[in-house]
Amino acid sequence: MTVPARIQERADALRELLHHHAHQYYVLDTPEIPDAEYDRLFRELQELEETHPELLTPDSPTQRVGGRALEGFAKVRHKVPMLSIRTETDIEATGARNFDARVRRELGLKEADAPIEYVAELKFDGLAISLRYEAGVLVQAATRGDGEIGEDVTQNIRTVGQVPLRLRDAPAVLEVRGEVFMRRDDFERLNELQREKIAKGAKNEKTFVNPRNAAAGAVRQLDPAIARQRPLSFFAYGWGQIEGGPAFDTHHSVLMALKAWGFPVSDRITVARGADDLIAYHQAVGRDRDALPFDIDGVVYKVNSLALQKQLGFVTREPRWAVAHKFPAQEQLTTVESIDVYVGRTGKLTPVARLQPVFVGGVTVTNATLHNEDEARRKDVRVGDTVIVRRAGDVIPEVVAVVPEKRQAASQVFTMPRTCPVCGSEAVREEGEADYRCTGGLFCSAQRKHAILHFAQRRALDIEGLGEKLVDQMVEAGVIRTLPDLYRLGLANLVTLERMGEKSAQNVLAALEKSKHTTLPRFLYGLGIRHVGESTARDLARHFGQLDPIMEASVERLLEVPDVGPIVAESLHAFFQQPHNREVIEQLRACGVQWEEGPPAVQAPKPLSGKTVVLTGTLPTLSREEAKEMLESAGAKVAGSVSKKTDYVVAGAEAGSKLDKARELGVAVLDEDGLRGLLAG
Ligand code: D41
């Protein structure tokens, strides 16, 4: 049977592609495509070769997993080959069931036979390594390479703290296999450092795309001095040659022995019985995946009994007794259709990449923020580019990197516009700030829309039914220009809007009416003053009791509010200095927006401002809490121990060492009556 030319060509093309990407990944540590994409191409070729065995060539990437040694590292022939592991990408249950069914079939088991015992492990996303110990001393560390021949990276691995250099009570010869990886926090720190070096003008430095690349780069770093600065971790999950040790009968018992000899073994490794346990493990680990301190790309199932493992054997370097069950990929390729600039409520301009929709990390992603000009420039994302998009957990999707090979020749570097894309006002970037801002203020319809939506939201004035679509229409139709315009709306304005019947219009009017009765914190928050969130609004309301003193307050006065710092105080002051903001507030009040005002809390200076008081012993009528609260509302600070700075000690029955200390230091001592007198001024 001859193979159709079309299929022959596809197989050739796939081999070319896979050779290229394997080289990028294994040899240069700079992959251009996400793993998921590589796996897909690999699978496609594997399937073509299975249906048309004539296509198979000895140099096909499917026949030799892994890469070649970099010039510069000595080659190491593994005494016991490092096998690869078969991958299941099927979601949830099917992957585990398929594996269990295959194992049972190959062992000739019947349905009624007992479930098989497995070990379930995490699949660490790092670099496979083999460590050789002779007489308990680390003598060699080698990468996996193609499974037969790897690279001697002993120097670099010796710098990994978690790899023991010397073992206790270990066999005469011991080869341990495991994964070298980089923790996420170490990766972030490393990239931060790299960015600093680049900013200082270092030429040969780069940031890393993900922890796995950083780990691979560190292990295969030719300069051990640089390798030493890259923080790596290690977990053991297998072994090669063992001589002169105890006999083992299960995979799990070997792992426990490795642990006893001093190797890090993950405590998430567990013994499972049958497919159901494996499925439960896959699900539980999937749930915890994002909370782990390191990346994993799946779980691994292994038949626990070493006798059964032997019976099952392997096909082309993949043991029949093990399988890797992957999680959905968190990185995918897609293309950038456009880069839009979004205008936020405070006028901040944010570049956003509009993407060809792509399913990644469990959701369809269509946008990814590029954050700001510096970020966009650092990644050099351009319209038409093919990019790697990553979405891990609940984190917002991001463009990790561009695939430079796929860039079109005519592509243009992205630049931030110097004018607002919505209103055309000048956009400026203040010294020391990362963001450009539209200077249009409420003249900018984008900012106006956001301001109105912010004012109307549930946590502010809570105007039910005033959503994005409606606000867009009202602003675009010019029905609303400022916040008070909301309260001047009539039925006639509303019914002219799209999809607005008389009933809905009436509902909106009723919601507006209802919203007029609000609270001071809601109103303050609703004004959308920069840096003033809900909790600051509450603090301000509590401190001042009323709006007018807030509007009149100096920066110094504002700084007296607990938790209000200079940035917030400046922002508040600047906001209330603006005549048009005062006008908006005046008009809102005139339209009937109202709230209950509290006592103006800061009028009279507090009688105990600046005084420090210590409470000790039991007072006749006041509880400790009551006394503390009374003192604090009079402006005193209540401290826990007596010192020279203490102004008064209030002592009740069974006062102990604090009273002695007060006498020793000559601090004034009061009883409950004395306290009341003090509070009364
Ligand atoms: O965590 C891993 N990445 C991992 C890799 C693991 N937990 N177990 C593994 N077991 C094997 C066999 C079954 C061959 C002993 C593996 C790998 N192999 C492996 N890693 C890279 C190639 C093969």
Side-chain angles (χ1 to χ4, degrees):
M1 197 180 75
T2 53
V3 181
R6 188 174 43 82
I7 289 177
Q8 177 74 56
E9 277 162 25
R10 181 62 187 156
D12 290 344
L14 284 168
R15 272 199 282 272
E16 268 303 296
L17 264 175
L18 287 165
H19 273 309
H20 170 77
H21 289 303
H23 182 75
Q24 291 290 329
Y25 178 105
Y26 289 108
V27 181
L28 304 178
D29 296 324
T30 46
E32 296 164 355
I33 57 173
D35 289 4
E37 181 72 12
Y38 184 87
D39 288 351
R40 241 195 318 272
L41 297 171
F42 193 88
R43 281 260 165 158
E44 191 186 338
L45 181 59
Q46 230 173 8
E47 274 162 27
L48 286 182
E49 289 173 344
E50 270 163 30
T51 30
H52 306 283
E54 313 88 297
L55 283 175
L56 205 71
T57 58
D59 72 337
S60 174
T62 58
Q63 301 306 295
R64 51 181 294 284
V65 187
R68 228 170 312 137
L70 253 193
E71 299 276 341
F73 284 114
K75 293 182 182 51
V76 172
R77 177 171 288 280
H78 298 296
K79 297 277 183 313
V80 177
M82 290 179 78
L83 300 176
S84 3
I85 190 158
R86 190 190 156 91
T87 301
E88 291 278 357
T89 40
D90 285 315
I91 34 146
E92 301 276 298
T94 39
R97 285 212 199 288
N98 286 348
F99 173 60
D100 184 52
R102 225 170 26 238
V103 167
R104 294 179 68 88
R105 195 173 52 241
E106 269 151 22
L107 291 173
L109 296 182
K110 308 229 164 32
E111 225 165 283
D113 290 324
I116 292 183
E117 198 171 88
Y118 296 103
V119 173
E121 305 177 359
L122 303 181
K123 186 167 187 298
F124 311 108
D125 202 3
L127 191 75
I129 210 105
S130 184
L131 308 172
R132 186 176 171 87
Y133 293 81
E134 291 173 5
V137 176
L138 176 67
V139 293
Q140 188 171 70
T143 63
R144 180 168 174 280
D146 65 2
E148 300 280 343
I149 295 175
E151 298 153 331
D152 186 333
V153 289
T154 316
Q155 294 276 48
N156 290 347
I157 292 302
R158 281 215 173 100
T159 68
V160 180
Q162 285 191 311
V163 170
L165 298 179
R166 203 170 271 282
L167 306 176
R168 277 173 275 126
D169 317 318
V173 174
L174 173 63
E175 273 180 11
V176 173
R177 269 99 197 246
E179 202 86 353
V180 174
F181 60 95
M182 195 175 284
R183 290 169 53 105
R184 289 187 192 133
D185 50 359
D186 287 332
F187 167 74
E188 295 301 336
R189 262 196 299 274
L190 173 62
N191 259 357
E192 194 55 49
L193 248 140
Q194 292 300 103
R195 272 194 287 274
E196 277 169 25
K197 286 189 196 162
I198 295 166
K200 283 186 193 144
K203 282 282 168 292
N204 297 321
E205 301 289 347
K206 59 169 190 177
T207 54
F208 298 93
V209 169
N210 56 40
R212 199 210 40 235
N213 289 309
V219 169
R220 303 174 64 252
Q221 167 59 244
L222 282 168
D223 182 351
I226 295 176
R228 208 185 324 272
Q229 297 162 7
R230 309 265 168 90
L232 295 172
S233 302
F234 177 77
F235 271 130
Y237 55 67
W239 62 95
Q241 198 183 0
I242 303 188
E243 263 173 34
F248 295 102
D249 55 8
T250 62
H251 179 76
H252 193 257
S253 62
V254 183
L255 294 182
M256 291 306 104
L258 290 177
K259 196 167 174 171
W261 289 330
F263 294 95
V265 175
S266 166
D267 54 18
R268 291 291 304 238
I269 288 181
T270 175
V271 175
R273 285 167 62 82
D276 288 344
D277 276 7
L278 296 180
I279 293 162
Y281 183 78
H282 185 262
Q283 288 173 345
V285 173
R287 269 195 300 276
D288 298 347
R289 179 184 190 186
D290 300 315
L292 294 172
F294 44 78
D295 281 358
I296 56 172
D297 58 349
V299 293
V300 180
Y301 311 136
K302 296 174 183 173
V303 171
N304 194 19
S305 155
L306 299 185
L308 291 185
Q309 284 188 6
K310 200 162 172 198
Q311 201 180 324
L312 286 158
F314 50 86
V315 257
T316 60
R317 296 193 193 157
E318 290 179 350
R320 286 203 189 86
W321 45 266
V323 77
H325 192 179
K326 287 216 179 178
F327 291 129
Q330 292 182 322
E331 288 183 4
Q332 291 290 357
L333 284 186
T334 188
T335 53
V336 177
E337 297 186 326
S338 65
I339 299 176
D340 292 351
V341 174
Y342 173 85
V343 185
R345 180 169 62 79
T346 56
K348 175 179 161 184
L349 305 189
T350 306
V352 176
R354 305 282 177 214
L355 306 168
Q356 173 75 41
V358 61
F359 191 74
V360 51
V363 300
T364 300
V365 172
T366 51
N367 300 311
T369 175
L370 299 174
H371 301 289
N372 56 47
E373 185 181 52
D374 293 347
E375 268 294 291
R377 199 164 286 168
R378 188 166 71 74
K379 291 182 177 163
D380 189 17
V381 179
R382 306 183 189 183
V383 175
D385 275 351
T386 298
V387 292
I388 300 174
V389 174
R390 178 179 172 85
R391 180 185 181 271
D394 292 333
V395 181
I396 51 170
E398 65 162 346
V399 172
V400 180
V402 171
V403 182
E405 290 65 35
K406 298 213 177 171
R407 172 164 286 169
Q408 284 139 11
S411 73
Q412 302 271 311
V413 175
F414 169 78
T415 49
M416 280 296 275
R418 294 298 184 269
T419 54
C420 171
V422 173
C423 72
S425 300
E426 195 191 350
V428 295
R429 180 177 174 176
E430 302 283 344
E431 181 101 7
E433 292 238 346
D435 301 314
Y436 275 86
R437 275 173 208 284
C438 162
T439 53
L442 290 181
F443 168 74
C444 175
S445 68
Q447 292 182 60
R448 213 151 55 212
K449 286 175 189 172
H450 289 302
I452 293 165
L453 280 169
H454 179 82
F455 185 76
Q457 67 170 294
R458 200 172 44 77
R459 294 178 303 172
L461 277 272
D462 192 18
I463 309 173
E464 220 173 296
L466 202 70
E468 208 163 326
K469 291 224 172 69
L470 190 53
V471 170
D472 274 3
Q473 278 195 68
M474 294 197 295
V475 171
E476 242 122 73
V479 179
I480 288 185
R481 294 205 57 255
T482 66
L483 292 177
D485 288 344
L486 279 172
Y487 295 101
R488 300 186 185 116
L489 284 171
L491 214 50
N493 305 116
L494 285 171
V495 291
T496 61
L497 302 173
E498 238 176 87
R499 269 179 298 164
M500 178 64 71
E502 201 169 314
K503 182 87 181 88
S504 336
Q506 237 134 24
N507 287 343
V508 171
L509 291 177
L512 279 162
E513 201 51 41
K514 191 171 147 211
S515 75
K516 288 179 182 175
H517 295 271
T518 187
T519 65
L520 181 53
R522 280 173 176 272
F523 183 78
L524 272 173
Y525 173 62
L527 291 174
I529 305 165
R530 224 179 137 197
H531 304 302
V532 178
E534 269 184 293
S535 91
T536 303
R538 266 197 300 272
D539 291 343
L540 286 163
R542 196 176 303 132
H543 187 82
F544 289 97
Q546 307 183 349
L547 182 60
D548 286 328
I550 301 176
M551 292 174 65
E552 304 310 329
S554 62
V555 170
E556 291 71 47
R557 265 284 133 101
L558 291 164
L559 282 169
E560 287 170 12
V561 181
D563 291 335
V564 167
I567 293 175
V568 179
E570 287 290 351
S571 170
L572 277 160
H573 186 69
F575 182 90
F576 289 118
Q577 286 303 104
Q578 288 266 331
H580 87 112
N581 288 334
R582 300 177 79 96
E583 179 69 22
V584 163
I585 291 168
E586 225 26 75
Q587 289 181 19
L588 284 169
R589 279 166 151 169
C591 289
V593 177
Q594 57 191 282
W595 54 88
E596 235 173 79
E597 301 236 300
V602 288
Q603 273 183 346
K606 295 182 173 181
L608 295 183
S609 271
K611 301 287 184 205
T612 301
V613 182
V614 172
L615 294 166
T616 179
T618 313
L619 299 175
T621 70
L622 288 173
S623 76
R624 195 183 173 74
E625 287 315 305
E626 285 165 335
K628 184 164 184 253
E629 212 172 290
M630 287 161 75
L631 281 161
E632 280 175 347
S633 57
K637 180 170 172 252
V638 178
S641 61
V642 181
S643 74
K644 275 187 286 194
K645 293 196 189 114
T646 310
D647 294 289
Y648 302 100
V649 168
V650 178
E654 274 130 54
S657 62
K658 289 180 191 172
L659 182 57
D660 299 339
K661 185 85 184 273
R663 292 205 171 111
E664 195 182 306
L665 294 172
V667 174
V669 177
L670 306 171
D671 60 7
E672 184 173 315
D673 284 342
L675 169 65
R676 289 184 192 279
L678 191 67
L679 289 168

